[in-house]
Amino acid sequence: MQEKPVKMAGRTALITGGSKRLGREIALTLAGRGMNIVLHYHTSATDSALLAQRISRIGVKVYTVPGDLADLSRTDELMNRAIKAAGKIDVLINNAAVYRTDQFSDLLPEDLETSLRVNALSPLLLARTFAARAGGDNIINLLDCRIRDYNSGRVSYSLSKKLLSYLTEMMAVEFAPQIRVNGVAPGIILPEPGKGDEYIERLKLSNPLEKWGSVDDITRTVLFLLESDFITGQVIFVDGGRSLKRGVNG
Ligand SMILES: NC(=O)c1ccc[n+]([C@@H]2O[C@H](COP(=O)([O-])OP(=O)(O)OC[C@H]3O[C@@H](n4cnc5c(N)ncnc54)[C@H](OP(=O)(O)O)[C@@H]3O)[C@@H](O)[C@H]2O)c1
């Protein structure tokens, strides 16, 4: 018998760092499929409020929850607020991240700690509370295609994403059979804030496919993973082949 894809409409997704950039596009895509959205934000209160207005015009329910994910003593509270607002959270998308520039020689322990807290430990704690209390069945962690490299110019970021990649597999085992856990590892998709398309135009030649990806490449992958109920513990690299060129570079 043919399995039907998991139904999306009427379910609820919590998206961390969901007000801007990739998180925003994921939120709009899931809302477009009829999912209710809980938008987490840290500093982007205005963007979050504006996006919530736009999502509510789509005709689904939308809630916003603030929180600093570097403060690990507050992750429980964040998830509880989301559950209280929405009633049930079916999907957790760990999207928020800090993207520091730092090198091995001058890496400060406190900077490493911040990257680990926001990019790996808060996803772990949110996922544990989600598994214990939210009643949901799906977690997606946003990774980075360079989890296979030694990215010598972004040491704390790299370490945190490598850790989240391992955690993705651990969570998939620990939370099965109730919850599926997968990762999406983007390559060059959006330029860093403050940098334009000319920046990624230069970078694209580092990809075997010699082009950069679009936000649609990421949202399509998220949808695929949400709808595929026999996939868990996997990472999909959406990177034009960049991860095949393992190496050391900044
Ligand atoms: N963009 C790309 O091309 C690309 C490539 C590879 C991997 N990725 C991964 O894909 C995900 C999304 O990428 P992006 O470029 O859209 O991300 P981003 O703009 O760098 O960050 C997303 C959000 O993370 C939130 N955040 C940062 N520090 C936080 C903290 N201490 N507490 C709570 N939230 C915090 C911010 O929320 P506020 O604005 O509310 O403060 C921010 O808007 C990230 O995990 C990133 O590592 C992206």
Side-chain angles (χ1 to χ4, degrees):
M1 196 177 76
Q2 193 80 26
E3 281 291 323
K4 287 200 182 114
V6 176
K7 193 172 143 284
M8 309 283 281
R11 285 158 58 80
T12 301
L14 164 60
I15 303 159
T16 65
S19 305
K20 290 182 180 171
R21 293 167 54 82
L22 290 185
R24 176 180 191 275
E25 299 305 322
I26 294 169
L28 284 168
T29 300
L30 299 187
R33 291 299 186 99
M35 288 188 79
N36 304 314
I37 303 294
V38 183
L39 276 180
H40 156 265
Y41 67 92
H42 177 218
T43 57
S44 299
T46 307
D47 289 287
S48 172
L50 288 171
L51 180 58
Q53 281 172 19
R54 180 161 167 198
I55 289 173
S56 69
R57 286 198 294 273
I58 295 173
V60 298
K61 294 184 187 131
V62 57
Y63 315 89
T64 58
V65 287
D68 178 2
L69 295 176
D71 183 352
L72 299 180
S73 68
R74 309 290 293 272
T75 51
D76 252 21
E77 183 188 321
L78 195 163
M79 184 58 76
N80 287 335
R81 286 174 76 168
I83 296 169
K84 196 170 171 204
K88 184 183 178 217
I89 310 287
D90 300 285
V91 172
L92 167 64
I93 311 240
N94 282 311
N95 167 78
V98 279
Y99 189 53
R100 297 187 50 78
T101 303
D102 45 32
Q103 271 118 32
F104 187 84
S105 56
D106 58 10
L107 181 63
L108 297 173
E110 52 271 31
D111 294 337
L112 173 58
E113 206 177 313
T114 302
S115 294
L116 291 174
R117 281 168 185 259
V118 178
N119 299 359
L121 300 178
S122 71
L124 166 64
L125 296 182
L126 286 172
R128 281 207 320 222
T129 314
F130 173 83
R133 289 207 281 279
D137 55 23
N138 215 313
I139 298 173
I140 293 186
N141 295 323
L142 268 290
L143 305 171
D144 190 295
C145 72
R146 300 194 60 193
I147 50 177
R148 287 183 173 163
D149 292 348
Y150 174 28
N151 185 346
S152 60
R154 298 196 185 267
V155 173
S156 66
Y157 173 78
S158 285
L159 280 168
S160 65
K161 290 291 182 178
K162 283 171 195 272
L163 179 55
L164 186 56
S165 167
Y166 284 119
L167 285 169
T168 301
E169 290 186 359
M170 281 185 200
M171 289 179 200
V173 173
E174 293 289 344
F175 299 151
Q178 286 81 11
I179 299 174
R180 293 187 297 110
V181 187
N182 291 291
V184 176
I188 304 165
I189 305 290
L190 291 175
E192 288 170 53
K195 294 189 175 162
D197 279 358
E198 65 290 349
Y199 173 72
I200 47 176
E201 179 68 34
R202 275 200 314 276
L203 284 183
K204 76 179 187 187
L205 294 177
S206 64
N207 284 339
L209 292 185
E210 296 188 355
K211 58 183 180 183
W212 70 77
S214 70
V215 291
D216 289 351
D217 290 310
I218 302 301
T219 55
R220 271 200 297 268
T221 308
V222 169
L223 280 176
F224 168 73
L225 287 171
L226 292 181
E227 288 178 336
S228 309
D229 72 358
F230 198 50
I231 299 180
T232 196
Q234 304 304 306
V235 175
I236 300 187
F237 287 81
V238 188
D239 68 346
R242 176 65 183 76
S243 51
L244 302 171
K245 296 173 65 178
R246 297 172 194 209
V248 179
N249 39 51

